[in-house]
């Protein structure tokens, strides 16, 4: 419009333009028409008009500049100005969105090999090949892998001798996790909330949370469940490789899922804000949990059944329910769950992520490698330093920066936040459940991870 105005005015002579200005300023009444402005007045008006258009030009140029800068910033926020090389780009992304892994069994290795004597091992050194153990986790390699959060597993096998002392052993394992977090405060940040997970990033620390692996930890006691939460447990896997008296394991081929008490366990976990972990349970228990839980659930370390038909993996009919629940499947790296064999590759792990994305969507994927809980690893994912290589592969497959950030950490943080919101609501409405049942023996277990 400004150009049209200028063009129409430029087509006039100076005298016509001045006359137009005069008539516009003085009006068209008979009295005004008889008055003629002086030459000085016309020159003054001409100069005023030029100043006006100069000012408008400056405003227009400034607006264009703001638009260009805004577009540039917007594009930068999407692309981040990052490298086009997938590995370099993955490193850059994970520096900003460090990985939160759903399951690591370092605490079990400390118990099995050192009887929880932390003075016998230095996690500040690369432990690969040291201590006569094929360690997959230590601080240098966690740093190299851009790990920003870890659920450390407190675990006791339900088939171990003296399992009647299971609760005590779980407490011992929670204790050793807390102690190594305290021993390395320059690296680890004790975390019990989603906010803690976020605060770890600017502090350049690894948010450290506890996941209790196996519902036998609570000895069928809701009071014990509450005490484990008070001590820091932020998820519980409902079973391990044995049934509990109230939930059925992935090793159980019957059509049994949760009992009535099992539903009470799930709802009490919702009330507490403890994530319900349904890795290790059978399909019927999975379905019952999804029908019962008022908060998003997690699979802390499971992969896709469609690509490897191991009962520890998640079938498509369950994956299709994840968007409605809001939960996340944290992909396990164990070759037996990835390739149904003793070997697997990084690319095959990425295939499982692809499959879960195609069925459930990218908002429902995380990473639960199971390092130091597995005796074999995929080629290219040998230890906790290798996460960037996996995310580089996802970038090669067309995953966006936003997708990578979600899979690396944002999805599990969202799930935790939503569970906390549900907890706040339920605690305002529902009293603690004090239902008691008599403990019953577990079924015979078989080895699993």
């Amino acid at each position: 419009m400004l150009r049209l105005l200028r063009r129409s005015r430029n087509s006039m002579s100076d005298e016509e333009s001045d006359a137009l200005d005069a008539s516009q300023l003085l009006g068209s009444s008979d009295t005004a028409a008889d008055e003629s402005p002086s030459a000085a007045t016309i020159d003054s008006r001409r100069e005023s008009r030029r100043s006006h258009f100069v000012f408008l030009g400056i405003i227009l140029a400034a607006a264009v500049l703001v638009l260009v800068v805004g577009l540039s910033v917007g594009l930068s926020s999407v692309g981040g100005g990052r490298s086009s090389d997938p590995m370099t780009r993955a490193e850059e992304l994970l520096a900003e969105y460090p990985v939160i892994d759903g399951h690591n069994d370092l605490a079990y290795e400390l118990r099995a090999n050192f009887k929880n004597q932390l003075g016998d091992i230095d996690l500040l050194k690369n432990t690969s090949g040291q201590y006569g153990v094929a360690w997959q986790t230590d601080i240098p390699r966690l740093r190299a892998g851009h790990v920003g959060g870890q659920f450390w597993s407190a675990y006791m096998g339900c088939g171990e001798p003296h399992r009647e002392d299971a609760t005590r052993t779980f407490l011992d394992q929670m204790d050793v996790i807390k102690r190594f977090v305290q021993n390395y405060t320059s690296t680890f940040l004790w975390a019990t909330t989603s906010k803690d997970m976020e605060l770890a990033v600017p502090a350049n620390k690894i948010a450290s949370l506890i996941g209790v692996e196996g519902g036998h930890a609570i000895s069928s006691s809701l009071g014990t469940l509450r005490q484990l939460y008070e001590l820091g447990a932020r998820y519980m896997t409902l079973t391990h490789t044995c049934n509990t008296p109230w939930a059925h394991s992935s090793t159980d081929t019957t059509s049994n899922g949760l009992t009535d008490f099992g539903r009470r366990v799930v709802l009490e976990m919702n009330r507490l804000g403890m994530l319900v972990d349904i890795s290790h349970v059978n399909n019927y228990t999975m379905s019952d949990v999804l029908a019962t839980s008022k908060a998003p659930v997690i699979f802390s370390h499971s992969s896709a059944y469609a690509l490897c038909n191991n009962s520890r993996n998640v079938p498509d009919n369950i994956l299709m329910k994840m968007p409605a629940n809001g939960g996340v499947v944290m992909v396990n790296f164990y070759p037996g769950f990835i390739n149904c064999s003793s070997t697997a590759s990084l690319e095959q792990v990425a295939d499982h992520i692809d499959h879960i994305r195609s069925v459930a969507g990218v908002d429902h994927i995380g990473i639960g490698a199971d390092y130091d809980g597995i005796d074999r690893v995929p080629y290219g994912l040998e230890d906790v330093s290798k996460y960037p290589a996996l995310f580089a592969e996802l970038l090669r497959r067309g995953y966006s920066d936003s997708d990578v950030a979600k899979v690396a950490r944002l999805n599990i943080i969202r799930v935790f936040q939503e569970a906390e919101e549900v907890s706040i609501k339920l605690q305002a409405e529902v009293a603690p459940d004090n239902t008691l049942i008599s403990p019953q023996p577990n079924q015979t277990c078989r080895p699993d991870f």
Side-chain angles (χ1 to χ4, degrees):
M1 179 176 282
L2 185 58
R3 285 196 297 269
L4 288 172
L5 180 59
R6 282 176 171 167
R7 189 177 301 120
S8 64
R9 288 187 176 276
N10 289 341
S11 65
M12 301 179 187
S13 67
D14 284 344
E15 291 76 14
E16 290 172 327
S17 180
D18 289 338
L20 175 62
D21 282 343
S23 84
Q24 288 173 338
L25 289 169
L26 298 174
S28 57
S29 67
D30 292 340
T31 303
D34 293 334
E35 297 177 6
S36 299
S38 67
T41 301
I42 292 173
D43 288 340
S44 174
R45 289 171 181 162
R46 182 180 298 167
E47 185 61 30
S48 175
R49 185 178 68 251
R50 287 172 180 164
S51 297
H52 176 71
F53 282 112
V54 168
F55 176 75
L56 287 177
I58 292 171
I59 293 297
L60 181 61
V64 171
L65 180 61
V66 168
L67 179 61
V68 170
V69 170
L71 287 173
S72 176
V73 170
L75 291 172
S76 176
S77 66
V78 175
R82 297 185 178 94
S83 171
S84 60
D85 173 68
M87 189 63 183
T88 304
R89 192 178 188 86
E91 295 271 6
E92 292 169 350
L93 281 165
L94 295 183
E96 186 174 354
Y97 301 101
V99 175
I100 297 174
D101 184 287
H103 196 88
N104 183 296
D105 276 296
L106 175 63
Y108 175 76
E109 292 291 351
L110 293 171
R111 172 171 164 246
N113 294 285
F114 298 103
K115 298 182 179 179
N116 288 350
Q117 300 303 305
L118 295 179
D120 294 340
I121 183 171
D122 184 359
L123 293 177
L124 286 170
K125 296 180 180 178
N126 189 313
T127 59
S128 180
Q130 303 296 316
Y131 308 105
V133 180
W135 295 93
Q136 297 159 359
T137 307
D138 52 51
I139 289 170
R141 286 183 287 174
L142 286 166
R143 292 299 197 188
H146 294 286
V147 177
Q150 182 65 67
F151 284 89
W152 303 103
S153 174
Y155 162 73
M156 173 193 174
C158 54
E160 291 186 35
H162 312 297
R163 66 172 177 257
E164 64 271 14
D165 295 329
T167 300
R168 189 197 73 184
T169 303
F170 275 98
L171 290 174
D172 287 345
Q173 291 309 103
M174 292 176 69
D175 172 73
V176 78
I177 292 168
K178 286 188 172 184
R179 286 192 291 118
F180 74 65
V181 168
Q182 292 166 356
N183 283 3
Y184 301 97
T185 54
S186 62
T187 299
F188 300 123
L189 175 71
W190 175 244
T192 58
T193 67
S194 61
K195 186 66 174 178
D196 293 337
M197 297 164 85
E198 293 175 322
L199 290 174
V201 176
N204 192 32
K205 293 186 179 183
I206 299 170
S208 295
L209 305 96
I210 292 177
V212 169
E213 188 178 16
H216 54 293
I218 67 170
S219 299
S220 298
S221 163
L222 295 175
T224 300
L225 173 69
R226 286 189 284 272
Q227 291 309 303
L228 292 181
Y229 180 84
E230 290 297 322
L231 293 171
R234 287 302 178 267
Y235 77 64
M236 184 174 74
T237 318
L238 297 189
T239 71
H240 194 248
T241 57
C242 307
N243 295 339
T244 62
W246 41 270
H248 289 76
S249 164
S250 62
T251 62
D252 189 322
T253 58
T254 68
S255 58
N256 296 313
L258 288 178
T259 67
D260 177 68
F261 184 78
R263 292 182 179 87
R264 290 176 178 272
V265 171
V266 169
L267 291 173
E268 186 63 10
M269 291 174 72
N270 290 166
R271 195 189 70 83
L272 290 169
M274 184 187 291
L275 297 174
V276 180
D277 176 20
I278 47 178
S279 284
H280 281 291
V281 305
N282 69 13
N283 294 357
Y284 298 97
T285 303
M286 292 178 193
S287 292
D288 286 349
V289 168
L290 289 170
T292 302
S293 181
K294 298 180 182 299
V297 304
I298 66 168
F299 290 84
S300 69
H301 57 306
S302 296
S303 299
Y305 185 88
L307 300 189
C308 171
N309 59 350
N310 188 295
S311 62
R312 275 280 284 104
N313 286 338
V314 189
D316 282 0
N317 69 304
I318 298 296
L319 290 177
M320 287 186 287
K321 296 178 181 180
M322 294 307 287
N325 170 266
V328 62
V329 179
M330 308 185 83
V331 173
N332 189 304
F333 292 178
Y334 182 56
F337 304 156
I338 294 298
N339 198 32
C340 285
S341 73
S342 60
T343 62
S345 67
L346 176 154
E347 290 77 14
Q348 289 169 326
V349 173
D351 291 342
H352 280 256
I353 295 173
D354 278 348
H355 182 79
I356 296 169
R357 182 177 68 162
S358 70
V359 178
V362 75
D363 292 333
H364 305 284
I365 311 169
I367 301 295
D370 206 1
Y371 282 125
D372 280 309
I374 53 179
D375 57 2
R376 295 184 297 278
V377 291
Y379 296 115
L381 292 172
E382 289 78 11
D383 56 51
V384 295
S385 71
K386 303 298 184 180
Y387 294 107
L390 176 60
F391 286 98
E393 176 63 19
L394 297 183
L395 289 169
R396 291 186 192 98
R397 296 182 181 210
Y399 284 65
S400 69
D401 290 7
S402 174
D403 293 339
V404 166
K406 287 179 178 182
V407 175
R409 67 181 287 112
L410 297 185
N411 287 340
I412 184 60
I413 289 178
R414 172 188 55 77
V415 167
F416 203 173
Q417 289 171 338
E418 292 178 10
E420 290 169 334
E421 291 167 3
V422 169
S423 171
I424 291 169
K425 181 175 184 294
L426 290 178
Q427 290 192 34
E429 300 172 350
V430 181
D433 191 332
N434 294 311
T435 302
L436 298 174
I437 65 169
S438 299
Q440 300 171 26
N442 292 306
Q443 291 186 348
T444 302
C445 302
R446 63 177 175 81
D448 207 342
F449 296 95

